[in-house]
């Protein structure tokens, strides 16, 4: 069945559009809403959103592919995003990345077979004073070391709720 | 002296109000907009995002006879590596920003404001939404603020992952729902900015200083710091120090005091090798230069670097400068928006050459090529991202050339991980 924006989504979307003098300024927030629901932005979603905002598909696609936070395919349940910029690098980020590669058996950009984890190396997350830092989905985990990382992975694997920061 | 921006306690609206918050807004609404701009000019406040442009002057560029809407935009797209002050400020004292925006909006005649916050700061964005909601309920934001007849709506807009959107015109494009690519100037945003209307864009820290300036007066603020670098600054210290974090200190504080008194010195057994004083794009200082430097706009310029965002990255003797520059080059290459050839191609070449040098396959000629590419990029692009790559390249090679030559001679450091391409 073809993907359609729900009436409920459209009603919420109208409220977002109302924050701006031009409807198309709501494009990025609405893509974020779509992604929050499905975990990624599908081609059909881009088509539908383009029609809803009265934009050419190419404009939507250009935006989705420009910004790093839009996923064009489903990710694992937990998206592990390890900062690899200068302060985190000095604080041991390469070792953390290696540990995750080994423990999960995947490389950056890949997802484990059980669909639990996607591994990414990302650029500065803006929390350099608490380096090394990893974002799991939207939450920050700071001042990490291998022991903390191992414990965090175990908690996530067993579905235990863990708080960041 | 007492902190102006970062208080000891986290300030929610009742706490902020009890400490005298929103009184400056009431005072401002009783003044003429031109008088507020004059007061901010007197304070000497300069943009805290990196460029250091005088804030009052920036506000005064909004054409007085401009018809139609005007906009105030807060740049909370904090992404310069080594910088993490705006996040801290939003978490600890969000109402200083919200009140500062209401005052700034009144001064420039804007009825709509947006806080453009980087996408990764989901929790901080949600916190701002909640606090704006509280402020609206008390009549500090919204229609007819405190019965003055002045209206100001404030919205939070989340970015989606692009360093370049910290550049103010790229930010405007992004806010309008486009790819974030910097615009050619002129026209400047003050004349033709957001939605082609007159717009002021200020950093979080800049706007958060405004209520204190209105409360205490421009002269009071100007007496803090040095004559040309007035006020306090949030310094973000990262690297191998005992207490990394955000410290609010008067401009002109010495690096030595920041490191030894605020941060508890270097971690045991570490020796200072270099300091990047103002975020990753500012030229690196050697340990010797850093020990002697004061942290303000003028002193750092004299030392050949910049105050930038106040992101002080401390580097110890155990670090390889070629590797660190490679890390930065990977970042700038990734973040180049691609519209200017010198930046798009230059950042890529620099990264490739550094990859080669780092794993021992480079030559001495490569070192000169790095510098020549960096010089060729400087000042030849729409926005300063190319310069932001070139400045570290030129300064790293100039000040730590021996390390680059050792790499070229095959005495490379082992890579941290197998390089996968």
């Amino acid at each position: 069945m073809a993907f359609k924006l729900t009436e409920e989504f459209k009603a919420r979307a109208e409220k977002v559009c109302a924050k701006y003098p031009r409807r198309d300024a709501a494009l990025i927030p609405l893509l974020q809403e779509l992604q929050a629901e499905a975990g990624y932005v599908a081609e059909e979603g881009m088509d539908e959103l383009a029609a809803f905002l009265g934009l050419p598909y190419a404009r939507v696609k250009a935006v989705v592919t420009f910004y790093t936070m839009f996923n064009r395919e489903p990710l694992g349940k937990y998206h592990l995003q390890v900062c690899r910029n200068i302060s985190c690098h000095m604080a041991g980020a390469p070792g953390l990345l290696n540990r995750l590669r080994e423990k999960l058996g995947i490389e950056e950009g890949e997802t484990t077979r059980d669909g639990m984890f996607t591994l990414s190396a990302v650029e500065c997350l803006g929390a350099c004073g608490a380096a090394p830092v990893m974002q799991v989905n939207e939450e920050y985990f700071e001042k990490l070391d291998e022991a903390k990382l191992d414990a965090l992975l175990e908690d996530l694997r067993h579905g235990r709720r863990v708080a960041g920061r | 002296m007492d902190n102006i921006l970062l208080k000891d306690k986290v300030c929610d609206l009742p706490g902020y109000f009890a400490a005298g918050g929103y009184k400056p807004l009431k005072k401002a609404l009783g003044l003429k907009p031109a008088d507020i701009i004059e007061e901010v000019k007197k304070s000497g406040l300069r943009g805290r995002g990196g460029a250091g442009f005088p804030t009052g002057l920036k506000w005064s560029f909004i054409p007085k006879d401009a018809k139609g809407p005007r906009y105030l935009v807060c740049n909370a797209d904090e992404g310069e590596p080594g910088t993490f002050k705006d996040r801290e400020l939003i978490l600890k004292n969000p109402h200083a920003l919200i009140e500062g925006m209401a005052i700034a909006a009144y001064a420039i005649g804007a009825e709509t404001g947006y806080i453009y916050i980087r996408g990764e700061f989901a929790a901080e964005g949600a916190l701002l939404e909640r606090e704006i909601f509280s402020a609206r309920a008390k009549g500090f934001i919204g229609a007819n603020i405190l019965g003055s007849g002045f209206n100001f709506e404030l919205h939070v807009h989340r970015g989606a992952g692009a360093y370049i959107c910290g550049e103010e015109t790229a930010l405007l494009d992004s806010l309008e729902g486009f790819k974030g690519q910097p615009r050619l100037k002129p026209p400047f945003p003050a004349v033709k900015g957001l939605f082609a209307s007159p717009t002021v864009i200020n950093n979080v820290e800049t706007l958060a200083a405004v209520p204190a300036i209105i409360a205490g007066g421009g002269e009071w603020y100007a007496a803090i710091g040095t004559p040309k670098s007035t006020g306090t600054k949030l310094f973000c210290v990262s690297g191998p120090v005992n207490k990394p974090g955000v410290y609010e200190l008067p401009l002109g504080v010495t690096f030595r005091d920041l490191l030894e008194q605020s941060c508890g010195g270097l971690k045991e057994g570490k020796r200072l090798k270099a300091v990047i004083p103002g975020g990753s794009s500012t030229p690196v200082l050697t340990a010797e230069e850093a020990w002697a430097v004061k942290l303000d706009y003028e002193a750092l310029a004299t030392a050949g670097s910049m105050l930038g965002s106040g992101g002080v990255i401390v580097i110890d003797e155990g670090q390889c400068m070629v590797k660190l520059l490679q890390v930065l080059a990977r970042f700038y290459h990734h973040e180049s928006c691609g519209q200017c050839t010198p930046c798009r191609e230059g950042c890529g070449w620099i990264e490739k050459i550094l990859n080669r040098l780092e794993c021992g396959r480079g030559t001495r000629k490569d070192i000169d090529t790095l510098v020549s590419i960096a010089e060729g990029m400087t000042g030849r692009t729409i926005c300063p991202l190319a310069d932001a790559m070139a400045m570290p390249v030129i300064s790293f090679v100039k000040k730590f050339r021996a390390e680059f030559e050792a790499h070229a001679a095959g005495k490379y450091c082992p890579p941290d991980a197998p390089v996968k391409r």
Side-chain angles (χ1 to χ4, degrees), chain A residues 19-22 25 32 59 66-69 84-85 87 90 98 124-129 135 138 140 142 165, chain B residues 71 82 84 87 114 118 120-122 156-161 174 176-178 180 195 238 244 314 330-331 416:
Chain A
K19 287 162 63 171
Y20 311 93
R22 290 205 309 243
Q32 288 165 337
R59 161 89 176 273
F66 184 83
Y67 295 96
T68 55
M69 287 176 71
R84 60 176 181 182
N85 213 298
S87 303
M90 289 193 289
N98 272 344
C124 188
L125 289 169
C128 323
Q135 206 179 2
E138 288 193 334
Y140 276 64
E142 305 182 343
R165 253 214 146 179
Chain B
Y71 295 100
F84 47 99
R87 179 185 184 220
Y114 297 95
R118 67 177 290 178
E120 289 87 347
F121 290 172
V156 177
H157 182 102
R158 260 178 83 194
S174 179
E176 291 180 6
F178 293 89
F195 305 116
S238 63
V314 175
R330 181 177 62 197
F331 168 68
D416 299 281

Side-chain angles (χ1 to χ4, degrees), chain A residues 74-80 104 106 110-119 137 156-157:
Chain A
L75 304 184
K77 185 174 177 192
Y78 298 109
H79 187 195
L80 310 178
L104 302 175
I106 53 173
E110 294 176 356
T111 300
T112 52
R113 275 171 180 242
D114 59 5
M116 281 292 272
F117 299 105
T118 298
L119 180 61
N137 298 343
L156 295 174
R157 270 207 181 100

Side-chain angles (χ1 to χ4, degrees), chain A residues 6-7 22 45 53 125 164:
Chain A
T6 63
E7 289 308 312
R22 290 205 309 243
L53 292 171
L125 289 169

